Amino acid sequence: MSLGTKYKALSIETLPERLKVVDVLASKVGEDSAAWQVQEVGDGNLNLVFIVTGPEGKAVVKQALPYVRLVGDSWPLPLYRAFYEYHALTRQAARDPGSVPDIFYFDEAQAVIVMEFLSPHVILRHKLIAGKRVDGLADFLGKFCARTAFRGSELSMKSGDKKADVGLFAGNVDIPAITEALVFTDPYFTAEMNHHTEGLDPVVAQLRSDVALKVKVQQAFQRFVSNTETMVHGDLHSGSIMSTESESRVIDPEFAQYGPMGFDIGMLCANFLMAYFSQPAHRGDDLDAYQEWILGVIEEVSTTFDAEFRRLWATERTGILYPASLFEDQGHDSSAACDAVLKGIWRDAWAFCGIEMHRRCLSLAHNADFEDIADPALRAPLEARNLMMGAELIHEAERLVDANTICAIARDFNGKDVL
Ligand code: SR1
Ligand code: MG
């Protein structure tokens, strides 16, 4: 069934009348749409997100807007991002079952996805700001990144299927273009929509005058736009993860594209590092222990990623890359080849990590970890540590293969007065 061919944004008032024809939604929340209660809860930068509550249960209705919500209709943005989000969710569900919300319905013309209401999950970023721990978080995220990276690549997929998927996602032009500008370009010059905390000018000037750094960033950018190794989530930050005390899911893959295997895990680690550096403004007595818990998550994400990637290498290497005919079938161990692939992934990941740490303090879309610190005099020195560590990661990415080293660098910057 279709909701009509002419797009119209939903509202709290119109949603029950317009979506009552969606049988699967009625089956989840109850047939009597007059009894539905609707809340709009979208707190991201782009979309409308409604929770529909009926006598039988709840569901989420997400709808793309034809512009960037954060900026307004002066920045148009294609509705087709919902199409890519839907297709990314189906692939993630297949590549890592149980990792994303169940999807009940998709309407392309209305850019509407109806999905599972996750409860009592909350956005992970809010938990990190509030000092909450999540059991099993690192294991879940390390496996999610390894499984989606491996199973979306020619290490696993049939070449024809992979090429067809790269072709499909190549149509997602305007959404990755946001990343190309806001993440890889704008932090390193005075772009129009940039803003940064007062007091950071000396650090910002230092970064923008560091030509070697800008070359490294452009090299990472080149890999991001031209290396279609696997389908990446494309925006894997702590606002794209929902958790209870012991269970997590990944949401919001509208930035999905085929890109480097190290992209998601690098962005993810950056967001844990920013949570780490922002903690002195959010915590009291538990500060040291909580910061160490965050670093422990980074280390375990990394070791879990490697272990799961190696397991898949040994058991699911069915694609054209590194075939058994060249290794095991000739009695040759392929573990050195796996080591080399992982080394390349982590080289990319640490560079992407440093770049994400920069953009969240320098370009348009900042994160609440730092933005919720009301006093700029408290925020600026914490952001400065984060910015300078980001620069070190970008400069040293090729030599940094181990998350233990990354955490040691973080501890070092955490004790420094950078400003
Ligand atoms: C204009 S969109 C800004 C940011 O929000 C999204 O979540 C992505 O992170 C994007 O860079
Ligand atoms: Mg998002």
Side-chain angles (χ1 to χ4, degrees):
M1 127 237 344
S2 154
L3 298 177
T5 51
K6 191 168 181 319
Y7 171 86
K8 197 162 178 352
L10 292 162
S11 68
I12 291 172
E13 293 76 26
T14 62
L15 188 148
E17 183 59 26
R18 291 184 62 200
L19 265 64
K20 70 181 183 191
V21 294
V22 177
D23 294 341
V24 66
L25 177 58
S27 77
K28 298 288 172 194
V29 303
E31 298 290 334
D32 179 11
S33 62
W36 295 358
Q37 292 181 334
V38 183
Q39 279 173 282
E40 206 278 311
V41 295
D43 68 348
N45 295 325
L46 301 176
N47 305 298
L48 294 170
V49 182
F50 301 93
I51 297 174
V52 182
T53 306
E56 317 262 321
K58 293 176 187 257
V60 167
V61 174
K62 180 171 178 179
Q63 186 181 38
L65 287 164
Y67 53 84
V68 175
R69 184 176 184 166
L70 173 70
V71 175
D73 54 13
S74 62
W75 186 346
L77 198 62
L79 297 170
Y80 65 51
R81 64 187 186 273
F83 171 89
Y84 293 106
E85 176 163 359
Y86 169 72
H87 284 287
L89 283 163
T90 62
R91 282 150 183 76
Q92 289 166 340
R95 291 169 191 170
D96 188 15
S99 63
V100 298
D102 288 343
I103 302 305
F104 302 141
Y105 173 80
F106 170 57
D107 185 292
E108 189 173 350
Q110 300 302 325
V112 161
I113 301 173
V114 180
M115 65 185 99
E116 179 184 6
F117 173 69
L118 298 174
S119 176
H121 301 68
V122 298
I123 293 288
L124 177 63
R125 195 184 302 285
H126 301 323
K127 281 185 173 277
L128 296 172
I129 292 170
K132 304 280 190 228
R133 293 162 171 81
V134 177
D135 288 343
L137 180 65
D139 186 71
F140 167 75
L141 291 170
K143 285 179 179 158
F144 173 82
C145 289
R147 290 171 183 173
T148 54
F150 191 95
R151 291 175 173 157
S153 78
E154 279 111 340
L155 288 167
S156 163
M157 289 177 81
K158 289 196 174 76
S159 179
D161 294 345
K162 165 80 184 333
K163 285 183 170 73
D165 231 28
V166 170
L168 179 78
F169 279 86
N172 194 5
V173 174
D174 295 70
I175 315 306
I178 293 175
T179 304
E180 291 156 16
L182 297 192
V183 176
F184 287 100
T185 313
D186 292 0
Y188 305 101
F189 79 110
T190 51
E192 201 184 330
M193 291 183 294
N194 284 355
H195 58 102
H196 62 254
T197 302
E198 92 192 48
L200 279 179
D201 284 358
V203 173
V204 177
Q206 187 181 334
L207 296 179
R208 289 186 184 153
S209 63
D210 186 341
V211 175
L213 179 90
K214 290 188 281 191
V215 171
K216 297 264 187 200
V217 171
Q218 289 300 299
Q219 288 171 333
F221 185 17
Q222 188 173 352
R223 290 197 286 278
F224 176 72
V225 292
S226 55
N227 177 351
T228 57
E229 266 174 352
T230 195
M231 191 197 79
V232 298
H233 176 284
D235 196 26
L236 191 56
H237 52 74
S238 52
S240 298
I241 298 159
M242 294 186 75
S243 301
T244 66
E245 286 177 7
S246 59
E247 208 252 354
S248 299
R249 307 275 189 100
V250 172
I251 61 169
D252 271 5
E254 67 206 302
F255 284 71
Q257 64 172 79
Y258 274 77
M261 288 185 181
F263 187 72
D264 284 342
I265 195 136
M267 300 287 268
L268 180 67
C269 289
N271 280 268
F272 282 120
L273 286 167
M274 289 186 278
Y276 171 81
F277 283 119
S278 68
Q279 287 301 318
H282 301 304
R283 293 279 76 68
D285 290 347
D286 193 30
L287 175 62
D288 293 348
Y290 193 65
Q291 282 190 307
E292 281 305 309
W293 179 79
I294 295 174
L295 294 186
V297 170
I298 294 173
E299 288 185 13
E300 196 189 333
V301 163
S302 154
T303 52
T304 303
F305 179 93
D306 283 5
E308 183 65 2
F309 196 91
R310 287 182 198 285
R311 187 185 72 77
L312 297 171
W313 181 278
T315 57
E316 293 188 15
R317 215 169 71 248
T318 51
I320 55 172
L321 290 177
Y322 304 90
S325 57
L326 300 188
F327 296 95
E328 288 81 359
D329 294 355
Q330 298 181 38
H332 298 153
D333 184 4
S334 67
S335 57
C338 186
D339 291 347
V341 170
L342 281 168
K343 190 172 176 195
I345 291 174
W346 285 109
R347 176 208 59 194
D348 286 356
W350 297 131
F352 294 135
C353 179
I355 295 165
E356 170 76 355
M357 290 162 81
H358 284 170
R359 75 92 169 213
R360 290 292 184 188
C361 295
L362 301 180
S363 106
L364 171 70
H366 292 208
N367 56 16
D369 309 63
F370 288 124
E371 289 300 287
D372 282 3
I373 305 170
D375 180 359
L378 182 54
R379 193 188 328 134
L382 302 179
E383 290 184 314
R385 291 171 180 170
N386 171 68
L387 287 168
M388 293 314 294
M389 174 160 178
E392 181 156 336
L393 293 187
I394 295 164
H395 274 300
E396 298 298 323
E398 282 170 39
R399 285 173 285 278
L400 297 169
V401 285
D402 180 342
N404 284 324
T405 315
I406 302 301
C407 293
I409 296 171
R411 286 185 195 97
D412 191 36
F413 274 100
N414 190 52
K416 266 188 196 167
D417 286 329
V418 173
L419 276 179

mmCIF file of all heavy atoms in Angstrom, residues 45-46 68 70-71 75 178-179 182-183 235 237 255 359-360 364-365, ligand 1:
data_model
loop_
_atom_site.group_PDB
_atom_site.id
_atom_site.type_symbol
_atom_site.label_atom_id
_atom_site.label_comp_id
_atom_site.label_asym_id
_atom_site.label_seq_id
_atom_site.Cartn_x
_atom_site.Cartn_y
_atom_site.Cartn_z
ATOM 1 N N ASN A 45 19.947 16.062 13.602
ATOM 2 C CA ASN A 45 20.136 17.246 12.780
ATOM 3 C C ASN A 45 19.276 17.268 11.525
ATOM 4 O O ASN A 45 19.244 18.272 10.823
ATOM 5 C CB ASN A 45 21.606 17.348 12.362
ATOM 6 C CG ASN A 45 22.513 17.562 13.566
ATOM 7 O OD1 ASN A 45 22.123 18.242 14.512
ATOM 8 N ND2 ASN A 45 23.703 16.979 13.538
ATOM 9 N N LEU A 46 18.588 16.142 11.213
ATOM 10 C CA LEU A 46 18.017 16.048 9.871
ATOM 11 C C LEU A 46 16.525 15.740 9.779
ATOM 12 O O LEU A 46 15.856 16.258 8.877
ATOM 13 C CB LEU A 46 18.770 14.963 9.069
ATOM 14 C CG LEU A 46 20.279 15.173 8.884
ATOM 15 C CD1 LEU A 46 20.880 13.989 8.160
ATOM 16 C CD2 LEU A 46 20.545 16.448 8.104
ATOM 17 N N VAL A 68 17.795 20.337 5.686
ATOM 18 C CA VAL A 68 18.539 20.006 6.904
ATOM 19 C C VAL A 68 17.831 20.660 8.093
ATOM 20 O O VAL A 68 17.755 21.884 8.180
ATOM 21 C CB VAL A 68 20.001 20.503 6.802
ATOM 22 C CG1 VAL A 68 20.749 20.272 8.104
ATOM 23 C CG2 VAL A 68 20.719 19.831 5.640
ATOM 24 N N LEU A 70 18.619 21.030 11.132
ATOM 25 C CA LEU A 70 19.496 21.855 11.964
ATOM 26 C C LEU A 70 19.635 23.278 11.429
ATOM 27 O O LEU A 70 19.803 24.234 12.192
ATOM 28 C CB LEU A 70 20.886 21.184 12.005
ATOM 29 C CG LEU A 70 22.043 21.908 12.669
ATOM 30 C CD1 LEU A 70 21.851 21.969 14.183
ATOM 31 C CD2 LEU A 70 23.372 21.193 12.361
ATOM 32 N N VAL A 71 19.556 23.415 10.103
ATOM 33 C CA VAL A 71 19.827 24.710 9.464
ATOM 34 C C VAL A 71 18.538 25.370 8.979
ATOM 35 O O VAL A 71 18.380 26.591 9.042
ATOM 36 C CB VAL A 71 20.814 24.514 8.280
ATOM 37 C CG1 VAL A 71 21.031 25.812 7.522
ATOM 38 C CG2 VAL A 71 22.140 23.958 8.797
ATOM 39 N N TRP A 75 18.923 25.071 3.377
ATOM 40 C CA TRP A 75 19.823 23.978 2.987
ATOM 41 C C TRP A 75 18.954 22.777 2.582
ATOM 42 O O TRP A 75 18.659 21.894 3.391
ATOM 43 C CB TRP A 75 20.757 23.596 4.130
ATOM 44 C CG TRP A 75 21.807 22.571 3.758
ATOM 45 C CD1 TRP A 75 21.840 21.780 2.631
ATOM 46 C CD2 TRP A 75 22.952 22.203 4.517
ATOM 47 N NE1 TRP A 75 22.932 20.971 2.636
ATOM 48 C CE2 TRP A 75 23.644 21.204 3.791
ATOM 49 C CE3 TRP A 75 23.466 22.616 5.732
ATOM 50 C CZ2 TRP A 75 24.812 20.620 4.247
ATOM 51 C CZ3 TRP A 75 24.635 22.026 6.195
ATOM 52 C CH2 TRP A 75 25.308 21.050 5.461
ATOM 53 N N ILE A 178 27.684 15.891 2.707
ATOM 54 C CA ILE A 178 27.725 16.594 3.998
ATOM 55 C C ILE A 178 29.008 16.202 4.731
ATOM 56 O O ILE A 178 29.725 17.057 5.271
ATOM 57 C CB ILE A 178 26.486 16.228 4.852
ATOM 58 C CG1 ILE A 178 25.218 16.779 4.204
ATOM 59 C CG2 ILE A 178 26.641 16.752 6.279
ATOM 60 C CD1 ILE A 178 23.933 16.359 4.921
ATOM 61 N N THR A 179 29.295 14.896 4.756
ATOM 62 C CA THR A 179 30.511 14.421 5.424
ATOM 63 C C THR A 179 31.755 14.960 4.722
ATOM 64 O O THR A 179 32.726 15.381 5.373
ATOM 65 C CB THR A 179 30.524 12.872 5.414
ATOM 66 O OG1 THR A 179 29.307 12.422 6.022
ATOM 67 C CG2 THR A 179 31.714 12.309 6.156
ATOM 68 N N LEU A 182 31.635 18.816 5.887
ATOM 69 C CA LEU A 182 31.696 19.134 7.327
ATOM 70 C C LEU A 182 32.815 18.398 8.053
ATOM 71 O O LEU A 182 33.352 18.905 9.042
ATOM 72 C CB LEU A 182 30.364 18.796 8.010
ATOM 73 C CG LEU A 182 29.116 19.555 7.583
ATOM 74 C CD1 LEU A 182 27.983 19.302 8.564
ATOM 75 C CD2 LEU A 182 29.366 21.038 7.464
ATOM 76 N N VAL A 183 33.126 17.167 7.600
ATOM 77 C CA VAL A 183 34.126 16.376 8.322
ATOM 78 C C VAL A 183 35.522 16.602 7.753
ATOM 79 O O VAL A 183 36.474 16.853 8.507
ATOM 80 C CB VAL A 183 33.757 14.869 8.268
ATOM 81 C CG1 VAL A 183 34.831 14.013 8.939
ATOM 82 C CG2 VAL A 183 32.393 14.630 8.911
ATOM 83 N N ASP A 235 27.944 7.281 9.810
ATOM 84 C CA ASP A 235 27.734 8.330 10.830
ATOM 85 C C ASP A 235 27.655 7.654 12.201
ATOM 86 O O ASP A 235 26.746 7.902 12.982
ATOM 87 C CB ASP A 235 26.433 9.081 10.504
ATOM 88 C CG ASP A 235 26.326 10.412 11.237
ATOM 89 O OD1 ASP A 235 27.368 10.995 11.585
ATOM 90 O OD2 ASP A 235 25.189 10.874 11.452
ATOM 91 N N HIS A 237 28.328 7.534 15.424
ATOM 92 C CA HIS A 237 28.712 8.242 16.651
ATOM 93 C C HIS A 237 27.796 7.784 17.785
ATOM 94 O O HIS A 237 26.867 6.989 17.574
ATOM 95 C CB HIS A 237 28.666 9.761 16.450
ATOM 96 C CG HIS A 237 27.371 10.267 15.901
ATOM 97 N ND1 HIS A 237 26.232 10.332 16.660
ATOM 98 C CD2 HIS A 237 27.029 10.723 14.662
ATOM 99 C CE1 HIS A 237 25.251 10.834 15.931
ATOM 100 N NE2 HIS A 237 25.692 11.065 14.705
ATOM 101 N N PHE A 255 23.614 7.907 6.228
ATOM 102 C CA PHE A 255 24.858 8.328 5.559
ATOM 103 C C PHE A 255 25.582 7.133 4.932
ATOM 104 O O PHE A 255 26.753 7.252 4.551
ATOM 105 C CB PHE A 255 25.789 9.036 6.549
ATOM 106 C CG PHE A 255 25.374 10.451 6.866
ATOM 107 C CD1 PHE A 255 24.251 10.716 7.643
ATOM 108 C CD2 PHE A 255 26.097 11.529 6.375
ATOM 109 C CE1 PHE A 255 23.860 12.014 7.921
ATOM 110 C CE2 PHE A 255 25.715 12.831 6.654
ATOM 111 C CZ PHE A 255 24.592 13.072 7.429
ATOM 112 N N ARG A 359 36.367 17.804 13.693
ATOM 113 C CA ARG A 359 35.184 18.451 13.109
ATOM 114 C C ARG A 359 34.108 18.731 14.148
ATOM 115 O O ARG A 359 33.344 19.678 14.012
ATOM 116 C CB ARG A 359 34.674 17.660 11.921
ATOM 117 C CG ARG A 359 33.939 16.369 12.227
ATOM 118 C CD ARG A 359 32.441 16.632 12.344
ATOM 119 N NE ARG A 359 31.715 15.368 12.382
ATOM 120 C CZ ARG A 359 30.520 15.207 11.874
ATOM 121 N NH1 ARG A 359 29.900 16.224 11.328
ATOM 122 N NH2 ARG A 359 29.919 14.031 11.964
ATOM 123 N N ARG A 360 34.028 17.908 15.200
ATOM 124 C CA ARG A 360 32.972 18.113 16.196
ATOM 125 C C ARG A 360 33.222 19.331 17.076
ATOM 126 O O ARG A 360 32.349 19.729 17.852
ATOM 127 C CB ARG A 360 32.818 16.857 17.067
ATOM 128 C CG ARG A 360 32.223 15.663 16.350
ATOM 129 C CD ARG A 360 30.766 15.859 15.973
ATOM 130 N NE ARG A 360 30.181 14.670 15.379
ATOM 131 C CZ ARG A 360 28.968 14.632 14.831
ATOM 132 N NH1 ARG A 360 28.224 15.718 14.790
ATOM 133 N NH2 ARG A 360 28.502 13.517 14.321
ATOM 134 N N LEU A 364 30.335 22.630 11.586
ATOM 135 C CA LEU A 364 28.950 23.007 11.921
ATOM 136 C C LEU A 364 28.345 22.199 13.073
ATOM 137 O O LEU A 364 27.836 22.778 14.027
ATOM 138 C CB LEU A 364 28.064 22.848 10.666
ATOM 139 C CG LEU A 364 26.562 23.005 10.912
ATOM 140 C CD1 LEU A 364 26.218 24.453 11.243
ATOM 141 C CD2 LEU A 364 25.745 22.547 9.707
ATOM 142 N N ALA A 365 28.392 20.870 12.955
ATOM 143 C CA ALA A 365 27.610 20.035 13.875
ATOM 144 C C ALA A 365 28.474 19.557 15.033
ATOM 145 O O ALA A 365 29.221 18.598 14.903
ATOM 146 C CB ALA A 365 27.032 18.845 13.107
HETATM 147 C C1 SR1 B 1 23.945 18.917 8.570
HETATM 148 S S1 SR1 B 1 24.031 17.364 9.241
HETATM 149 C C2 SR1 B 1 25.267 17.468 10.420
HETATM 150 C C3 SR1 B 1 25.666 16.189 10.992
HETATM 151 O O1 SR1 B 1 24.555 15.488 11.517
HETATM 152 C C4 SR1 B 1 24.626 14.125 11.168
HETATM 153 O O2 SR1 B 1 24.331 13.300 12.226
HETATM 154 C C5 SR1 B 1 26.033 13.915 10.666
HETATM 155 O O3 SR1 B 1 26.925 13.636 11.719
HETATM 156 C C6 SR1 B 1 26.308 15.213 10.036
HETATM 157 O O4 SR1 B 1 27.673 15.463 9.825
#
